[in-house]
Amino acid sequence: MNRKTTDTILGNGLRVVVVHAPLAPLAELRLVLPYARTAPHLSPARELLAGCLGTGTTAGNGSRQDIADRAADLGAELSTVVTAESLVMATSVLSAGLPGALELLADLLLRPAYREHELARVQLRAAAVPRGPGPRQRLRRALLSHAFGSHPLLDPPAAQSEPGTGDLYDLHARAVVPQGSVLLVMTRDSPDDVTALVQERLADWTGGPSGLVLPRFARPTPLPGRITVPAGSTPAGPAGQALVLTAGPAVPPTDPGHAPLHLAQLALGGYASSLLTRRVRDRHGLAYAISAEIRGNGAGDWLEIECAGAPGTAGRIAEEITGCLRELATDGPTGQELDRARAYATGFTRFALATRTEEATALAGFAAAGLPLDWLETYRCALAEVTHAQVAQAAAQFLQPSRTLIATLDDDESDR
């Protein structure tokens, strides 16, 4: 990464990464807070806090409208996103407005206001969505529970209760803390000056670590086999389709074996002309949605195949998936399949950094995951250097059907 960068741990534990982008008209801020679902009883408050954070402060008027007006005056856009592991506060602001954006961020972090009418607004919006997991969520939860054992990420939701403002203040004090968090700033300003400005604005922010970090799965690799999950009925209605999910072994991005496995996974089902797509959809017409990807988080890593087809087809889809896995594990991809997979992967890594906004989000994710900021660039080089023999070896090691768990859910009783 050919940019000046500073990487500093402040006295309060906040990691501040500033990336110099000299020609950028906008400054990009990404604050990544550990925010994993570590206990079912925290889920209601966790969801509410994410929806209400940024809607009020005790500084000045501090209403939703006041915050929106302050952001508009700065030329800023604010958003909050929750993932399986993190709460991300994102801000894009005109470069001249960076000091004001940091001041607004400090108000939201240090002087939050959770007001009853804002809670009611978020709760009303949530009530419009059917509660409870849908068919795909139930299938994935069953798959991963069987594959890796019980885990907080997979526990069923706690009995629904409506948290109050006191619950949100308590969770804010525990979870919205600097220790363990990462703030990435991409700006045309001097990284040293920006680091000093962050120190000035956020020096009074204290607390942590939150402990909201995913523990590892009980098993490092999935327990293989075959399970069937009853379709049943959900608040969203029946599935109306056959669903197949698999979990196979995988390695994290930091492992030298990740690049060969990534190319094998792409050849299997990672793009439009992959083996699974040609076999399951084009030749047999069994599925209309097919994907294979390496999934992972702080709990572990796994290779997942997902297929959706018409009711009554889950069994046949599972058989075709098994056949494709066995074929690649035995013979490896052809030279043409490998070339296509490599081209797709290389193009995708470039696309991921296509805009400043996407780049800032990616770099913040790398920093929060403990990866170097130039990880994607070095990974692109690693993909180019992987040999056909290494990909065939990865396929033989990771794509064996005997190492894969297959789970099915089908509305058609005859398929169960």
Side-chain angles (χ1 to χ4, degrees):
M1 192 170 151
N2 299 319
R3 293 203 185 114
K4 182 180 179 182
T5 302
T6 61
D7 193 335
T8 309
I9 304 293
L10 301 185
N12 58 8
L14 176 66
R15 181 182 175 191
V16 179
V17 179
V18 184
V19 179
H20 190 219
L23 302 179
L26 296 177
E28 300 286 348
L29 294 85
R30 301 291 184 273
L31 177 63
V32 185
L33 305 159
Y35 203 64
R37 184 177 179 270
T38 56
H41 73 275
L42 285 177
S43 294
R46 181 176 175 270
E47 294 171 8
L48 264 182
L49 185 145
C52 293
L53 183 62
T55 64
T57 83
T58 58
N61 178 28
S63 66
R64 178 192 288 268
Q65 187 61 53
D66 177 61
I67 292 169
D69 290 343
R70 287 176 64 182
D73 289 342
L74 296 168
E77 294 183 1
L78 285 69
S79 63
T80 302
V81 176
V82 178
T83 71
E85 298 183 273
S86 305
L87 187 152
V88 182
M89 299 181 70
T91 304
S92 299
V93 61
L94 292 170
S95 291
L98 178 58
L102 284 170
E103 184 177 349
L104 176 56
L105 179 64
D107 284 340
L108 296 174
L109 297 173
L110 278 73
R111 294 169 282 278
Y114 295 108
R115 300 184 172 98
E116 292 290 351
H117 66 277
E118 293 293 351
L119 266 68
R121 183 200 299 258
V122 174
Q123 289 167 335
L124 183 63
R125 193 161 55 237
V129 179
R131 295 208 171 187
R136 183 174 278 99
Q137 292 173 296
R138 290 198 299 113
L139 183 61
R140 177 169 283 116
R141 185 174 293 161
L143 172 84
L144 296 180
S145 295
H146 187 91
F148 295 109
S150 62
H151 188 273
L153 192 62
L154 309 174
D155 289 339
Q160 291 296 328
S161 59
E162 298 296 349
T165 56
D167 298 306
L168 296 199
Y169 283 114
D170 289 344
L171 183 57
H172 185 107
R174 173 185 173 181
V176 185
V177 291
Q179 193 170 345
S181 300
V182 175
L183 174 64
L184 182 133
V185 184
M186 181 177 288
T187 176
R188 69 185 185 189
D189 299 322
S190 161
D192 292 331
D193 292 345
V194 172
T195 301
L197 183 61
V198 172
Q199 169 69 59
E200 177 186 333
R201 292 289 191 272
L202 299 180
D204 294 335
W205 188 29
T206 59
S210 68
L212 300 183
V213 178
L214 289 178
R216 299 293 292 176
F217 284 136
R219 287 189 286 269
T221 57
L223 184 69
R226 174 81 177 268
I227 62 172
T228 299
V229 176
S233 183
T234 71
Q241 59 187 342
L243 298 173
V244 182
L245 279 178
T246 77
V251 290
T254 52
D255 192 289
H258 188 272
L261 174 60
H262 184 191
L263 293 175
Q265 164 253 314
L266 288 172
L268 173 66
Y271 59 100
S273 58
S274 63
L275 180 61
L276 276 170
T277 301
R278 298 196 315 269
R279 179 83 57 83
V280 180
R281 188 187 69 185
D282 299 344
R283 183 186 304 177
H284 298 294
L286 292 173
Y288 46 81
I290 299 170
S291 66
E293 61 180 307
I294 301 171
R295 299 177 66 93
N297 50 45
D301 302 270
W302 67 98
L303 175 63
E304 181 177 284
I305 300 168
E306 179 177 356
C307 292
T313 61
R316 291 183 62 198
I317 292 173
E319 290 174 5
E320 292 297 332
I321 290 174
T322 300
C324 290
L325 287 169
R326 184 177 294 111
E327 180 178 327
L328 274 179
T330 302
D331 302 327
T334 66
Q336 184 181 51
E337 287 172 331
L338 176 55
D339 289 343
R340 289 174 177 171
R342 197 192 310 271
Y344 181 90
T346 302
F348 191 82
T349 59
R350 295 185 185 280
F351 179 76
L353 303 180
T355 68
R356 300 288 188 199
T357 298
E358 292 165 338
E359 185 179 10
T361 299
L363 296 183
F366 297 159
L371 296 171
L373 295 185
D374 64 350
W375 176 80
L376 201 57
E377 296 173 19
T378 59
Y379 186 66
R380 189 184 302 135
C381 296
L383 288 170
E385 295 170 359
V386 172
T387 66
H388 187 277
Q390 288 174 319
V391 177
Q393 182 180 2
Q397 179 180 356
F398 293 101
L399 303 187
Q400 292 287 351
S402 60
R403 300 191 66 193
T404 300
L405 174 65
I406 299 178
T408 61
L409 182 151
D410 201 324
D411 275 338
D412 191 329
E413 290 288 341
S414 66
D415 195 67
R416 282 180 263 130

